[in-house]
Each structure stands twice: as structure tokens, then as C-alpha cells.
């Protein structure tokens, strides 16, 4: 059965904007929306887990939107843990408590959907309302088993694209599902950016291949700043500017306009009733 992601489709949609760091994606999305006289959604709350997130404070002041700060580090320490990860059963239990507390903090605000603009913590708040997230990998690329190939956090999808000698990168926008069920990359794919070319040279291929070979048998902490990591960091920045900043604001607007629907039985995204998983967004359509 095909259903719209949103519970309502009107001109009075409210969105929560979640961020953890510099907030460049949030800035592009909020600025675009503020300039649109026919905007279909309004920011209802800015959310961060970092008390020192200056971008979150700035956006709340600039757009006159309430700010919710739910300190993740302090919460974990209050529950006897120094690390804030979800790798252990104890860590996951505290993350659930943290998320439940966040739910209470968000109750005063209307939220039809959320925009995860560089929000780091894994959280099952995504089960409460649709949460759009930008991913630094082309999720239309599949492996030999038909599974998404360019998955993982931070620069990992870019590193993988480089190790596979792919000709270009893309940013992907998905509707997040619970990390317990599908991981961080398993949600419905709404749109991708136009290709961001990788400028391959013979020397760059040799450098990437040598670094990839040297990583075998090592933990990420031992190699994350190697030559491959440095090249990936450069391309991650290019992808943010030419991928994230192009596709994310446009998908948010199309999502609020009710263009997207989802067939859970087939896993197919529809755009205005037509199957369109991985719809491409280019700068020319802005």
C-alpha cells in the first residue's frame, strides 16, 4: 500500500531541525525557506545534543525559534558512563533513556517532520515522525547482493567510493528508520545530487590503492589520517558544497509539499504517484 510519509498535507507544517556541529546544511535549508514567500513548512524548534553548538544557538536567534539542548555527554556521565556510544548493551540502554527524555523535552513543540542536518547521535526519535537525513554516499550503488554499497558514517562512504575507483560521488537524502532495525543507511531513498566527479590520475589511483592495502588488518584509529583519509576529506568537502547543499534543501521542500510517498511492501518511493527512488536534483532546478 502506498502512503504519504506525512500524516497531514497542509500549508502549516512544522519541522524540527537537529544539528551537532557547524550546521552548514541547516543554514542552507533555513535560509532558503525563510526567503520563500510560499514556504510550506516552518521551523518549530532547533535541537542539539551539544551545549557548545554555536550554530544551533545562532539559528534559534536568527529565526526566532526555540532551542532545545539535551546534553548527551552529561547524560551518560550521570548514568555512570564515560563513553557515549551504542556499541554495548549498557550504552544502548542509556541511549534509550536519553531519547525518552528528549521526547519529553520536545512535547511542547509541533513537529510534523524533522531535518537531521549533521546530527550525530543515533536515536530512535526517528520512530516518532519522519526524519530526513543527508548521507555522503550514492545509495543507488548496490553490491553483488543487491545491498547498498556506500554505507557507513562520516567519510567512510567516500573512502569506499575511492577504493572502488568510482567515477563520481553523490549525496543521498533518506527518511531515517530505527538504527536498531536498518542501521543508519537503510531508510527510504528520496533523492540524490547530480554527480560530483572524482578527478582521477594514475598517481591518485596508486596512492589510494597503496593506502587501502596498508589498512588491511588494522583498526580505523590506526589509519584514519592516512593518504586515503586525507583525499576522502577533500572530496567530502566538495561533496558537501556541490552535493548536500544542492539536494537537501530541494528534497525538504518537495517532502513538505507532499510529493513523496512510500510503498513499504516493495520498498519503492513514489514522486507524485510515479516510482522515483533516487530522484536526481541538480543546481539548475534551484
Amino acid at each position: 500500500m502506498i502512503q504519504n510519509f506525512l500524516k497531514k498535507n497542509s500549508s502549516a507544517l512544522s519541522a524540527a531541525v537537529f544539528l551537532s556541529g557547524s550546521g552548514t546544511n541547516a543554514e542552507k535549508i533555513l535560509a532558503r525557506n525563510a526567503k520563500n514567500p510560499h514556504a510550506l513548512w516552518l521551523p518549530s524548534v532547533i535541537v542539539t545534543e551539544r551545549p557548545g553548538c554555536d550554530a544551533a544557538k545562532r539559528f534559534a536567534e536568527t529565526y526566532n525559534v526555540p532551542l532545545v539542548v539535551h546534553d548527551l555527554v552529561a547524560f551518560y556521565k550521570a548514568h555512570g558512563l564515560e563513553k557515549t556510544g551504542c556499541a554495548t548493551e549498557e550504552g544502548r540502554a542509556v541511549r534509550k533513556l536519553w531519547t525518552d527524555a528528549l521526547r519529553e523535552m520536545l512535547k511542547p513543540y509541533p513537529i510534523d517532520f524533522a531535518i537531521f542536518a549533521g546530527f550525530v547521535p543515533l536515536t530512535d526519535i526517528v520512530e516518532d515522525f519522519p526524519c530526513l537525513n543527508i548521507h555522503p554516499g550514492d545509495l543507488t550503488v548496490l553490491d553483488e547482493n543487491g545491498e547498498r554499497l556506500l554505507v557507513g558514517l562520516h567519510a567512510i562512504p567516500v573512502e569506499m567510493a575511492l577504493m572502488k575507483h568510482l567515477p563520481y560521488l553523490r549525496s543521498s537524502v533518506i527518511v531515517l528508520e530505527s538504527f536498531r532495525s536498518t542501521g543508519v543507511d537503510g531508510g527510504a531513498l528520496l533523492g540524490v545530487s547530480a554527480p560530483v566527479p572524482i578527478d582521477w590520475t594514475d598517481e591518485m589511483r596508486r596512492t589510494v590503492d597503496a593506502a587501502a592495502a596498508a589498512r588491511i588488518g588494522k583498526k580505523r584509529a590506526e589509519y584514519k589520517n592516512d593518504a586515503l583519509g586525507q583525499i576522502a576529506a577533500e572530496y567530502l568537502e566538495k561533496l558537501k558544497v556541490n552535493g548536500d547543499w544542492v539536494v537537501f534543501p530541494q528534497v525538504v521542500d518537495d517532502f513538505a509539499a507532499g510529493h513523496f510517498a512510500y510503498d513499504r511492501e516493495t520498498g519503492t518511493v513514489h514522486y507524485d504517484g510515479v516510482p522515483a527512488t533516487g530522484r536526481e536534483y541538480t543546481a539548475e532546478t534551484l
Side-chain angles (χ1 to χ4, degrees), residues 158-159 162-163 207-208 211-212 215 224 226-233:
V158 175
E159 292 178 357
L162 290 167
M163 289 189 286
T207 299
V208 167
R215 289 182 172 193
K224 67 177 181 179
D226 63 3
L228 173 54
Q230 293 173 26
I231 295 172

Side-chain angles (χ1 to χ4, degrees), residues 5-266:
F5 288 99
L6 293 165
K7 293 181 179 178
K8 66 178 182 179
N9 187 9
S10 70
S11 59
L13 293 173
S14 298
V17 180
F18 289 68
L19 65 148
S20 299
S22 62
T24 55
N25 278 319
E27 186 170 17
K28 296 294 180 182
I29 292 168
L30 288 166
R32 175 189 173 97
N33 192 65
K35 293 176 183 177
N36 183 1
H38 306 293
L40 296 177
W41 66 275
L42 293 173
S44 58
V45 61
I46 306 293
V47 184
T48 184
E49 88 290 3
R50 297 181 179 177
C53 184
D54 293 335
K57 298 174 184 177
R58 185 173 74 254
F59 298 149
E61 293 174 358
T62 300
Y63 298 101
N64 193 27
V65 178
L67 173 65
V68 166
V69 180
H70 188 25
D71 192 329
L72 185 69
V73 173
F75 193 91
Y76 268 69
K77 285 184 177 179
H79 288 78
L81 296 181
E82 291 297 320
K83 295 183 178 181
T84 60
C86 294
T88 66
E89 184 176 346
E90 190 176 15
R92 289 188 291 273
V94 174
R95 185 62 56 89
K96 182 181 183 304
L97 293 174
W98 179 85
T99 299
D100 288 341
L102 177 60
R103 286 188 173 100
E104 291 299 315
M105 297 170 75
L106 293 179
K107 277 186 177 180
Y109 310 106
I111 302 174
D112 296 301
F113 68 99
I115 301 163
F116 276 34
F119 188 63
V120 173
L122 299 174
T123 170
D124 284 334
I125 199 77
V126 303
E127 297 174 351
D128 295 21
F129 36 72
C131 297
L132 307 189
N133 187 54
I134 191 77
H135 176 78
D138 185 352
L139 294 179
T140 67
V141 178
L142 307 179
D143 63 18
E144 60 274 11
N145 298 315
E147 301 294 330
R148 292 174 177 175
L149 177 64
L150 304 179
V151 298
L153 297 171
H154 309 304
I156 292 176
V158 175
E159 292 178 357
M160 195 173 300
L162 290 167
M163 289 189 286
K164 293 291 184 181
H165 293 182
L166 297 184
Y168 57 79
L169 306 168
R170 291 184 196 264
S171 300
S172 300
V173 180
I174 62 174
V175 180
L176 285 169
E177 294 188 4
S178 168
F179 69 91
R180 295 175 303 173
S181 59
T182 63
V184 297
D185 318 293
L189 176 59
L190 302 182
V192 297
S193 69
V196 177
I198 299 176
D199 301 318
W200 286 109
T201 64
D202 290 341
E203 181 181 359
M204 183 171 156
R205 283 190 176 87
R206 287 192 293 269
T207 299
V208 167
D209 291 347
R215 289 182 172 193
I216 297 174
K218 296 181 181 178
K219 295 181 179 180
R220 185 164 183 80
E222 300 177 76
Y223 63 71
K224 67 177 181 179
N225 293 320
D226 63 3
L228 173 54
Q230 293 173 26
I231 295 172
E234 293 176 4
Y235 273 96
L236 190 63
E237 185 64 24
K238 291 181 180 180
L239 184 62
K240 178 174 68 174
V241 174
N242 299 292
D244 293 15
W245 293 357
V246 173
V247 64
F248 207 2
Q250 294 184 79
V251 169
V252 169
D253 283 354
D254 278 355
F255 188 84
H259 290 300
F260 290 106
Y262 189 51
D263 187 339
R264 288 194 173 275
E265 292 183 3
T266 63

